[in-house]
Amino acid sequence: MAPTLPSLLKARPTIVAWLGLGCFSLWMTALSSKNPHSELPNTDLDTWRDTKAAIVDMFGVGESQHPFDSSPGRPHIRLVIERAQKRYESVLARRKQPSLRTAAFECPHDIERVGSLADGKWTCGFSLYETQSWNRCVVYVFGVGLSSSFENKLLKRTDCEIYACDHKALPMDEGSARFHKRVHFKRYAFGREDTTDSQGVQWRILQSLMKENGHIWIDILHIDIEGGEFQAFDTILKDFDTLPFSQLLIQLHGGIGVVTWDKFQQWWDAIEARGVFSWWSEPIVKARVQGGELPSSSSEYSFLNTRGDAKDVLIQDN
């Protein structure tokens, strides 16, 4: 029997709902079918990652609050990293000298800016530190400065221990982080050798600090030391065969008197050779003139270490 007009009107909400669901399903199918990695098998993981990327691009979602972060890719971390490495190798094959060095890898977990808009750091897999099932995570911070929203957020949302160094001993903001029981603050400068300079400043290298603190691995290494990062890393690259951190959050500085372009390329290529790749960059331009010099600039970079073995929680299948 054909439906009557009154029955159709009564069922209108249900019909609209089904039509809406059908349109949404077609839309999701269209999105997931646009697989940018066509040379790889179109697995469920591919579909999920492509759909997530499309949603992020369309709505500008950049933090870990979107619904796709209940990631079905979590049990397949090694697979994601292997595919990222293959794609990155193709980037390297096309890169000429001299050439720009930019973030071209990917984080296989949720991505979140931890901290304020001005001071936050783009972090890979922050939810793992919130729900960690291993020993308490270890974070090293070099260059505390006047703002510490990153450190405060870590203290509020995780059980991480923070080891911070700054020879100027500037207070952290909000009045809490520096004196928190899980913050271990030393008035050291971070550099290329253990020494005390003519002004009485004590300099320490990473290897010495890790030995002093009894650590063999760092979960998050955060560096912002106003141009001294390249010299400090010269020693790190010399002291360690496997770089001893899961991820590196670093502010790289440029400009006159800071670093040459050749030195920057050498540094970048050296850490890439150790399996450490950048998956995020964010330029910070400071239009300031000091002593007649040109404006200096800096950029925030986030790197993932792909060679940490069992110590590196970010590259392990759950």
Side-chain angles (χ1 to χ4, degrees):
M1 184 176 65
T4 63
L5 180 59
S7 64
L8 287 174
L9 291 175
K10 185 177 181 180
R12 184 172 56 183
T14 303
I15 294 172
V16 171
W18 278 106
L19 287 173
L21 180 59
C23 292
F24 179 77
S25 299
L26 289 172
W27 178 61
M28 293 296 286
T29 301
L31 288 178
S32 62
S33 66
K34 296 177 181 179
N35 188 352
H37 317 311
S38 56
E39 74 280 8
L40 300 171
N42 187 17
T43 62
D44 291 339
L45 177 59
D46 290 319
T47 301
W48 172 82
R49 294 190 64 81
D50 296 338
T51 304
K52 176 179 177 179
I55 294 295
V56 170
D57 290 341
M58 183 170 294
F59 295 104
V61 181
E63 300 195 2
S64 66
Q65 285 78 14
H66 52 74
F68 288 92
D69 278 332
S70 55
S71 162
R74 281 280 175 84
H76 311 288
I77 298 304
R78 295 304 312 178
L79 175 62
V80 174
I81 292 175
E82 288 172 7
R83 292 179 176 181
Q85 287 176 325
K86 288 180 180 179
R87 292 192 292 273
Y88 199 73
E89 286 171 3
S90 69
V91 172
L92 293 180
R94 297 191 302 269
R95 192 165 71 187
K96 299 179 180 179
Q97 301 288 350
S99 176
L100 292 176
R101 300 295 188 266
T102 188
F105 209 71
E106 65 178 284
C107 163
H109 300 279
D110 55 295
I111 298 171
E112 180 177 349
R113 180 196 290 275
V114 179
S116 69
L117 183 62
D119 185 53
K121 309 301 176 186
W122 286 100
T123 308
C124 178
F126 190 73
S127 62
L128 294 177
Y129 304 118
E130 293 181 292
T131 59
Q132 61 189 20
S133 57
W134 69 99
N135 293 332
R136 179 173 288 175
C137 73
V138 172
V139 178
Y140 274 45
V141 177
F142 295 107
V144 174
L146 292 171
S147 179
S148 58
S149 65
F150 172 74
E151 293 83 358
N152 277 290
K153 191 69 69 174
L154 278 171
L155 294 171
K156 290 177 181 178
R157 292 174 53 185
T158 75
D159 290 328
C160 294
E161 296 275 347
I162 299 176
Y163 294 80
C165 292
D166 194 313
H167 70 285
K168 297 179 181 179
L170 296 172
M172 295 183 178
D173 65 352
E174 301 182 28
S176 61
R178 183 180 168 194
F179 303 104
H180 195 283
K181 63 181 180 181
R182 285 190 280 115
V183 173
H184 312 276
F185 183 84
K186 297 289 181 65
R187 194 172 180 177
Y188 293 149
F190 184 49
R192 64 165 57 176
E193 61 180 334
D194 291 335
T195 187
T196 301
D197 64 22
S198 59
Q199 297 179 340
V201 176
Q202 298 183 69
W203 293 80
R204 292 291 182 272
I205 61 174
L206 183 62
Q207 186 180 60
S208 297
L209 289 168
M210 292 179 69
K211 183 177 181 180
E212 180 179 320
N213 296 323
H215 296 141
I216 61 172
W217 193 256
I218 300 168
D219 292 286
I220 301 175
L221 175 59
H222 169 232
I223 300 176
D224 182 4
I225 53 175
E226 306 304 323
E229 58 270 14
F230 299 101
Q231 293 185 355
F233 248 94
D234 285 343
T235 302
I236 294 174
L237 290 166
K238 181 186 66 174
D239 289 343
F240 298 94
D241 293 328
T242 299
L243 297 182
F245 49 80
S246 296
Q247 61 181 309
L248 169 66
L249 313 179
I250 186 169
Q251 189 171 126
L252 297 177
H253 299 78
I256 294 177
V258 179
V259 64
T260 64
W261 176 240
D262 287 343
K263 173 63 178 177
F264 177 80
Q265 290 184 104
Q266 292 169 7
W267 175 85
W268 187 282
D269 294 346
I271 64 171
E272 279 188 342
R274 302 293 185 89
V276 178
F277 304 103
S278 178
W279 56 269
W280 190 274
S281 63
E282 182 176 87
I284 303 172
V285 179
K286 299 177 181 177
R288 62 187 182 188
V289 178
Q290 295 178 334
E293 294 185 348
L294 294 173
S296 61
S297 63
S298 59
S299 295
E300 297 280 0
Y301 283 89
S302 300
F303 290 82
L304 176 72
N305 190 349
T306 64
R307 299 183 185 173
D309 298 327
K311 299 183 292 294
D312 190 343
V313 68
L314 294 181
I315 63 172
Q316 304 305 315
D317 291 340
N318 288 356

